């Protein structure tokens, strides 16, 4: 009899439950007597032995539900091998609980941090399969992660609605979009929402160049300017700083992101009324889009098939419209950032959008 553990770790996103459902339903088809253990709150539950045996009915009615029925928690990879801080050998505990459950495989649904720990557990001899989730779409080796397209739809709706109020008031509007390291969500939703300026962490901006773009639009008789700002966007000056130095620079100014600073700078320099909208976790909430339900189901079914083939130490991926897998060791610790010459960046530039560079 097969025994499979599932956990969801890191920030939640739409499509986690659809993926859990996909893999569970496919597993019950392959192994009608499979035992599935739902591990609570990500790696925290695996470390502390908090899990429950699941039953087929637990996987019903969850396709459309946002969040994760298993709960999630951020357990940073960099602390995984540190015993002193909380006096727990986390890796040893995870191995012990895996053995106690008698698992044949552990499924880890998560982002970059989750995949690093998944790889560590795989190197420690556990059978692990990853499934790539995140609204940031920044996992190496997959064209898309589940959760991303739903967030693109939501961010696009925010931008769409901001357009009408911006036009009425003849304002510059900044919309801050989640994505600390990677600007994919800003790039896609900015294009979909018809933004005029896109500020990504990968393309540091110069405020003069942003103001020039605003002024050019005003001179051309446009009534408003929409600026999509990634949460991790930074000025050229900040990009030249080390990470700690940049954090200190922002802390001194009481800032975590550049959005509110830019509101003041643009208003002062251009004289245009400027406002900011920060949808934040709204972009991670609620039901997955049809695209993500399909992708999550495809990923889930593929993971069940990997279990049938006893193919472990891998993570599921979408490459060129085909579901496939990559070795965990090939993707762990390699976030997928937006290449500055990416085709979508070129598309945006060809459309006359400014990256403020
Ligand atoms: O990784 C997904 C994400 O939403 C990022 O876009 C964002 O930077 C981060 O999580 C926010 O994390 P938290 O929910 O822990 O504040």
């Amino acid at each position: 009899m097969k025994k499979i553990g599932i956990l969801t770790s890191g920030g939640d996103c739409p499509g986690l439950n659809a993926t859990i459902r996909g893999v569970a339903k496919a597993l019950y088809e392959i192994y009608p007597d499979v035992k599935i253990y739902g591990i609570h709150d990500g790696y925290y539950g695996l470390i502390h032995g908090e899990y429950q045996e699941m039953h087929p009915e637990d996987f019903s009615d969850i396709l459309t539900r946002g969040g994760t029925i298993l709960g999630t928690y951020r357990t940073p990879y960099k602390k995984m091998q540190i015993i002193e801080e909380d006096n727990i050998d986390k890796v040893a505990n995870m191995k012990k609980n895996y053995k106690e459950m008698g698992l044949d495989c552990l499924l880890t649904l998560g982002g970059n941090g989750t995949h690093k720990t998944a790889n560590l557990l795989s190197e420690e001899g556990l059978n692990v399969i990853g499934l790539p989730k995140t609204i940031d779409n920044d996992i190496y080796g997959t064209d898309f992660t589940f959760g991303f397209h739903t967030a693109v739809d939501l961010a696009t709706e925010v931008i769409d609605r901001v357009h009408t109020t911006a036009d009425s008031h003849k304002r510059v509007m900044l919309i801050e979009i989640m994505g600390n390291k990677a600007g994919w969500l800003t790039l896609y939703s900015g294009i979909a929402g018809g933004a005029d300026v896109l500020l990504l962490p990968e393309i540091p901006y110069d405020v003069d160049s942003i103001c020039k773009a605003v002024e050019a639009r005003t001179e051309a008789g446009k009534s408003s300017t929409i600026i999509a700002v990634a949460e991790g966007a930074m000025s050229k000056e900040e990009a030249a700083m080390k990470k700690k130095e940049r954090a200190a620079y922002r802390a001194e100014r009481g800032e975590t992101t550049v959005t509110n600073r830019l509101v003041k700078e643009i208003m002062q320099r251009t004289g245009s009324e400027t406002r900011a909208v920060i949808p934040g976790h709204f972009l991670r909430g609620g039901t997955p889009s049809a695209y993500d339900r399909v992708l999550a189901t495809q990923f889930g079914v593929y993971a069940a098939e990997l279990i049938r083939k006893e193919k472990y130490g891998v993570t599921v991926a979408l490459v060129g419209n085909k579901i496939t897998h990559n070795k965990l060791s090939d993707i762990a610790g390699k976030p997928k950032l937006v290449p500055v010459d990416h085709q979508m960046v070129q598309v945006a530039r060809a459309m006359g959008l400014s990256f403020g560079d």
Side-chain angles (χ1 to χ4, degrees):
M1 185 211 296
K2 286 273 181 200
K3 291 186 177 176
I4 309 297
I6 308 183
L7 62 81
T8 55
S9 179
D12 72 338
C13 77
L16 282 166
N17 292 325
T19 308
I20 293 170
R21 170 185 176 271
V23 74
K25 288 201 181 251
L27 280 173
Y28 286 125
E29 289 294 321
I30 303 171
Y31 309 107
D33 61 350
V34 65
K35 262 195 199 309
I36 300 178
Y37 292 95
I39 297 160
H40 301 171
D41 304 327
Y43 291 115
Y44 181 92
L46 191 58
I47 294 166
H48 296 275
E50 294 179 14
Y51 53 83
Q52 75 190 86
E53 192 184 328
M54 311 284 283
H55 302 283
E57 58 275 19
D58 295 323
F59 303 104
S60 288
D61 279 337
I62 61 167
L63 173 63
T64 60
R65 200 184 302 173
T68 161
I69 56 167
L70 300 176
T72 188
Y73 190 68
R74 289 194 191 275
T75 318
Y77 172 75
K78 57 179 180 224
K79 293 197 174 164
M80 277 298 176
Q81 283 156 299
I82 299 175
I83 299 172
E84 297 74 27
E85 208 169 280
D86 35 20
N87 261 329
I88 297 174
D89 186 336
K90 301 178 199 70
V91 177
N93 272 24
M94 288 193 281
K95 286 165 73 174
K96 176 178 80 72
N97 286 316
Y98 178 101
K99 296 242 154 63
E100 253 174 44
M101 280 182 268
L103 296 183
D104 293 289
C105 175
L106 170 70
L107 295 164
T108 59
L109 282 63
N112 277 311
T114 305
H115 276 79
K116 279 197 266 182
T117 299
N119 184 48
L120 170 69
L121 293 178
S122 170
E123 284 171 350
E124 289 284 324
L126 307 191
N127 296 332
V128 186
I129 296 174
L131 286 136
K133 71 89 230 205
T134 165
I135 65 164
D136 294 346
N137 197 37
D138 61 348
I139 299 185
Y140 188 83
T142 185
D143 294 344
F144 294 113
T145 52
F146 62 87
F148 173 66
H149 276 92
T150 307
V152 170
D153 291 349
L154 292 168
T156 302
E157 182 171 357
V158 175
I159 299 173
D160 286 349
R161 287 181 182 274
V162 166
H163 267 289
T164 59
T165 167
D167 279 345
S168 308
H169 287 268
K170 301 179 183 54
R171 280 177 174 160
V172 176
M173 296 291 294
L174 282 83
I175 300 138
E176 183 181 297
I177 294 169
M178 274 193 166
N180 214 359
K181 292 197 182 111
W184 296 106
L185 188 51
T186 303
L187 180 61
Y188 274 69
S189 60
I191 289 176
D196 309 299
V197 180
L198 306 178
L199 304 180
L200 314 185
E202 296 89 342
I203 307 179
Y205 68 79
D206 173 354
V207 71
D208 286 337
S209 162
I210 300 173
C211 292
K212 270 192 196 132
V214 170
E215 279 160 356
R217 286 184 56 79
T218 311
E219 277 159 30
K222 309 277 185 191
S223 46
S224 64
T225 298
I226 303 293
I227 306 181
V229 191
E231 185 189 5
M234 63 184 92
S235 64
K236 288 191 174 170
E237 193 190 351
E238 288 176 301
M241 298 175 188
K242 293 213 167 77
K243 203 175 162 193
K244 274 195 180 155
E245 211 185 320
R246 187 161 60 240
Y249 176 83
R250 290 194 181 177
E252 246 175 60
R253 287 159 179 76
E255 299 169 341
T256 48
T257 70
V258 295
T259 309
N260 287 320
R261 182 201 314 168
L262 278 174
V263 167
K264 285 188 213 132
E265 288 176 331
I266 294 169
M267 196 133 64
Q268 267 165 16
R269 289 172 191 233
T270 66
S272 298
E273 258 195 340
T274 307
R275 298 282 189 273
V277 177
I278 305 179
H281 291 79
F282 170 87
L283 303 176
R284 281 206 337 227
T287 191
S289 64
Y291 180 96
D292 274 333
R293 291 178 201 181
V294 173
L295 184 65
T297 305
Q298 285 178 290
F299 277 179
V301 168
Y302 191 90
E305 197 51 31
L306 287 172
I307 292 171
R308 195 181 63 75
K309 291 179 182 155
E310 298 185 359
K311 178 93 191 148
Y312 305 122
V314 295
T315 190
V316 181
L318 173 76
V319 180
N321 241 358
K322 274 218 156 72
I323 311 296
T324 177
H325 59 269
N326 293 308
K327 278 191 195 161
L328 281 170
S329 55
D330 286 344
I331 69 125
K334 280 196 232 168
K336 182 187 72 175
L337 306 181
V338 177
V340 293
D341 58 350
H342 190 266
Q343 205 176 20
M344 287 293 279
V345 174
Q346 290 177 27
V347 163
R349 291 200 195 272
M351 294 286 290
L353 274 73
S354 164
F355 284 86
D357 54 340

